[in-house]
Amino acid sequence: MWVELPTNNMAAALANTTGSTGFDVTYTDDMVWHAGTQQVFFIGSDHGYLQHFTSYAATSNAWQRLPRGYWMPAPTDYNNGMGHGYDHSAIDQARGLYYFRPFNANDVYRYTIASQMWTQLPQAPQGSNCCDALEVFPELGGLVWVRGGGEVLLYRESTNTWTSLATGLANGGTWTFAEYNPVHKVMVFGVAAAGTLYKLDSAGKVTRL
């Protein structure tokens, strides 16, 4: 049964004043929940408006705008600040790390929830698409980056390096997605526009479904 969860300050925290829809979740299918601190984290923006860093805390039942990361454009830089959220967020539950990949960028940033500090991951190999997907895969020890260009990368926290898990996949276009299943310990990913669907297992093997 579905029931409404009334929360505080949601409209103000996710609203904007100059975007085309008035809401930051345009072109987004991804918010992440951190069980340890009982918080939701979200970064995204409407068309034609600066992206924001937003959270919801269950302890206060309220939404709020968080301080902007050092890598985010200045609040007045609207021309360079737009960035849809797509599936560009991921959460490491055990380590308390939130990852975000800016729209159309070859960079990934890590937010340590305990210290509220941002750091940049090592530069990944060139080849990103506008609208890729991120997901943490605990059994593989890090962050998986599914690229619309047909490549799957893995960043391991233990080695601080990127490695390629697969290339040449029938993948491409907008709306790349990746979802990890902790029960079966697999990640399903693909591109909606391309009609592709793949499975990544805990051994790092990619299988087309």
Side-chain angles (χ1 to χ4, degrees), residues 98-112:
Y98 168 58
Y99 299 94
F100 184 77
R101 180 250 176 170
F103 169 78
N104 207 30
N106 203 52
D107 304 313
V108 176
Y109 295 89
R110 175 179 54 209
Y111 180 74
T112 303

Side-chain angles (χ1 to χ4, degrees), residues 67-84:
R68 302 180 66 76
Y70 72 88
W71 53 271
M72 300 175 75
T76 55
D77 190 6
Y78 292 98
N79 291 331
N80 297 311
M82 192 199 83
H84 301 320

Side-chain angles (χ1 to χ4, degrees), residues 8-73:
N8 301 312
N9 202 44
M10 183 178 188
L14 292 173
N16 62 57
T17 57
T18 62
S20 60
T21 69
F23 210 49
D24 272 343
V25 297
T26 305
Y27 276 76
T28 296
D29 64 335
D30 201 22
M31 288 182 175
V32 296
W33 168 256
H34 183 234
T37 58
Q38 299 284 287
Q39 292 185 89
V40 166
F41 294 98
F42 167 74
I43 293 178
S45 81
D46 192 3
H47 271 296
Y49 193 73
L50 198 72
Q51 66 182 193
H52 295 114
F53 184 25
T54 306
S55 73
Y56 164 78
T59 52
S60 62
N61 193 34
W63 297 79
Q64 64 174 332
R65 289 262 174 90
L66 297 177
R68 302 180 66 76
Y70 72 88
W71 53 271
M72 300 175 75

Side-chain angles (χ1 to χ4, degrees), residues 80-168:
N80 297 311
M82 192 199 83
H84 301 320
Y86 289 105
D87 201 358
H88 291 174
S89 292
I91 189 77
D92 187 321
Q93 298 286 352
R95 297 184 178 97
L97 303 174
Y98 168 58
Y99 299 94
F100 184 77
R101 180 250 176 170
F103 169 78
N104 207 30
N106 203 52
D107 304 313
V108 176
Y109 295 89
R110 175 179 54 209
Y111 180 74
T112 303
I113 297 172
S115 64
Q116 301 178 18
M117 297 292 293
W118 285 99
T119 53
Q120 185 175 1
L121 299 190
Q123 192 76 33
Q126 292 294 324
S128 63
N129 183 53
C130 76
C131 319
D132 297 342
L134 299 182
E135 187 72 304
V136 169
F137 201 132
E139 287 74 27
L140 291 177
L143 178 73
V144 177
W145 182 351
V146 178
R147 291 175 152 178
E151 184 178 21
V152 179
L153 298 176
L154 172 66
Y155 168 77
R156 285 190 171 92
E157 284 286 346
S158 60
T159 60
N160 197 35
T161 57
W162 293 96
T163 57
S164 179
L165 298 179
T167 59

Side-chain angles (χ1 to χ4, degrees), residues 177-192:
F177 61 89
E179 302 299 332
Y180 170 75
N181 186 308
V183 176
H184 299 285
K185 295 179 172 48
V186 298
M187 192 184 83
V188 174
F189 66 92
V191 177

